[in-house]
Amino acid sequence: MPTTTTAVPRGLAGVVVTDTALGDVRGREGFYHYRQYSAVELAQTRGFEDVWHLMFHGELPDAAARADFTARTAALRHLPREVTDALPGIAAAGAASGPLAGLRTALSLLGAAQGFRPVYDLDADRRREDALAACAAVPTLLTALYRLGQGLDPVEPRDDLSYAANYLYMMTGSEPEPDRVRAIERYLISTVDHGFNASTFTARVVASTGADMAASLVAAVGALSGPLHGGAPSRALDTLDAIGSPDRIDAWVRERVLAGDRIMGFGHPVYRTEDPRSRMLRGIAEGIGGPLVAFAVEVEKHVEAILAELKPGRELHANVEFYAGVVMELCGVPREMFTPTFCAARVVGWSANILEQAEDSKIIRPAARYVGPPPPQPVPAP
């Protein structure tokens, strides 16, 4: 019997493909959540490890559970020898592509070295152990690849630092200031998960085949590497550089909007109101202060006014990438590490989605509409 097919919007926009208990984005309300909690409230009140625990175990930890979870994940930051020995070669081979490209290779190697097996063959506890190992290793891999690309030696992780503090420490080689740690931690929490975006959906598609944790995460990283998905924080900051000064804002923005160009850092495929992540990050940036922040706020105000004038009814506002770039710049994160930093947070959301998908044995296998020449046609003689 032929399979029944149903036509859906391009890009699966608005199509519900499964049930999830991990969270949701309510774009018309400007609200998103992790499980039953507001993601923004979690970022304002909790640490990264608490949110990681919530995504993996379904509940926020008490003090004892937090201490245990933090110690367990910190111990997993250290890489197997087979991986550390290979990182210089990976960094050299991908020197022009950067740490995110190298992460694809490094994650595959990590999965092999750690003996990751197909999630289809594992019980829930073993899947979670593989996910914890992968998530804990990603910041170590990213920072090592970055430093090797800069001609510097990697910095060994420290078990006594939080996830965010250790990430900044491994990147810079210096213990970061607490206010910078907290700013980056709040950013990391705010980007752990965000519905069925391209990389999360990709991770779930691969997981639905029963593939191992590393394979599913490598696929997600590949999706994130596309400039339409994960490359916007540095590009949004490049926009501020291109504008240069307040007196150039209107002319610069109008010229590009009228030319049909996209203003990086503005607009979102889901939100029809202010992006709640942008609102929170603007507050973080304003708490740090300085000329860059003042200029960014001025640019945001003018861009939104011009977009409202030239594209009425579109509801185009600053998205998470606009102020994410500002916050990371203020906290000393180099621009080539903006998207890798996003990845260091999103790996937790990807992994939680992989764990959830692994509980369902149904493979994700959509159909395509054929629009080529009508078959069958005779094959021409050679």
Side-chain angles (χ1 to χ4, degrees), residues 238-262:
D238 291 342
T239 294
L240 296 180
D241 289 343
I243 295 172
S245 60
D247 61 293
R248 283 173 38 84
I249 298 174
D250 280 19
W252 191 95
V253 174
R254 284 182 183 278
E255 179 182 345
R256 274 139 189 89
V257 174
L258 291 172
D261 296 341
R262 180 183 174 192

Side-chain angles (χ1 to χ4, degrees), residues 38-344:
S38 160
V40 170
E41 186 177 351
L42 286 168
Q44 291 170 334
T45 61
R46 291 284 188 148
F48 188 85
E49 285 81 358
D50 281 6
V51 177
W52 187 357
H53 188 281
L54 170 69
M55 297 299 286
F56 273 38
H57 294 283
E59 60 184 10
L60 289 168
D62 58 20
R66 178 186 302 115
D68 176 67
F69 187 80
T70 299
R72 286 174 60 213
T73 54
L76 294 170
R77 295 169 180 167
H78 303 273
L79 303 174
R81 175 62 62 184
E82 303 94 318
V83 178
T84 56
D85 288 348
L87 288 179
I90 295 172
S97 302
L100 201 65
L103 181 65
R104 300 199 296 264
T105 303
L107 265 176
S108 290
L109 182 57
L110 176 75
Q114 297 278 41
F116 288 1
R117 293 165 49 211
V119 295
Y120 185 81
D121 297 330
L122 304 177
D123 61 26
D125 288 341
R126 182 63 217 183
R127 292 171 191 154
R128 190 178 295 111
E129 289 304 310
D130 286 354
L132 286 171
C135 291
V138 161
T140 310
L141 292 170
L142 286 171
T143 54
L145 289 167
Y146 164 70
R147 289 182 64 86
L148 287 164
Q150 300 297 308
L152 303 169
D153 290 332
V155 174
E156 279 294 308
R158 279 174 48 180
D159 295 359
D160 62 314
L161 295 176
S162 69
Y163 187 91
N166 181 64
Y167 178 68
L168 291 173
Y169 168 72
M170 290 190 297
M171 188 189 307
T172 65
S174 302
E175 189 167 341
E177 294 296 322
D179 61 334
R180 299 304 191 256
V181 172
R182 184 56 186 151
I184 291 298
E185 182 173 52
R186 291 174 67 186
Y187 168 67
L188 293 173
I189 292 171
S190 74
T191 54
V192 161
D193 192 52
H194 202 250
F196 268 35
N197 53 80
S199 56
T200 297
F201 184 56
T202 300
R204 291 190 72 127
V205 170
V206 176
S208 80
T209 72
D212 67 61
M213 182 63 60
S216 301
L217 290 174
V218 167
V221 174
L224 182 69
S225 68
L228 295 182
H229 187 18
S234 59
R235 292 169 185 247
L237 208 56
D238 291 342
T239 294
L240 296 180
D241 289 343
I243 295 172
S245 60
D247 61 293
R248 283 173 38 84
I249 298 174
D250 280 19
W252 191 95
V253 174
R254 284 182 183 278
E255 179 182 345
R256 274 139 189 89
V257 174
L258 291 172
D261 296 341
R262 180 183 174 192
I263 307 299
M264 300 304 293
F266 289 83
H268 193 276
V270 176
Y271 288 116
R272 294 298 175 265
T273 182
E274 187 179 21
D275 187 331
R277 300 167 300 175
S278 176
R279 183 168 56 245
M280 184 194 74
L281 290 167
R282 181 173 61 236
I284 294 172
E286 289 175 330
I288 298 172
L292 175 62
V293 179
F295 184 46
V297 172
E298 187 73 7
V299 168
E300 178 192 20
K301 180 176 67 175
H302 282 262
V303 170
E304 292 197 348
I306 293 169
L307 289 173
E309 174 193 339
L310 300 180
K311 295 180 179 289
R314 291 285 302 277
E315 291 293 339
L316 298 171
H317 301 276
N319 59 38
V320 63
E321 286 88 4
F322 185 73
Y323 282 105
V326 173
V327 169
M328 284 190 276
E329 180 95 341
L330 294 171
C331 292
V333 178
R335 294 191 188 187
E336 56 265 48
M337 287 298 284
F338 282 9
T339 301
T341 300
F342 180 97
C343 179

Side-chain angles (χ1 to χ4, degrees), residues 308 360 364 373:
D360 183 355
I364 297 173

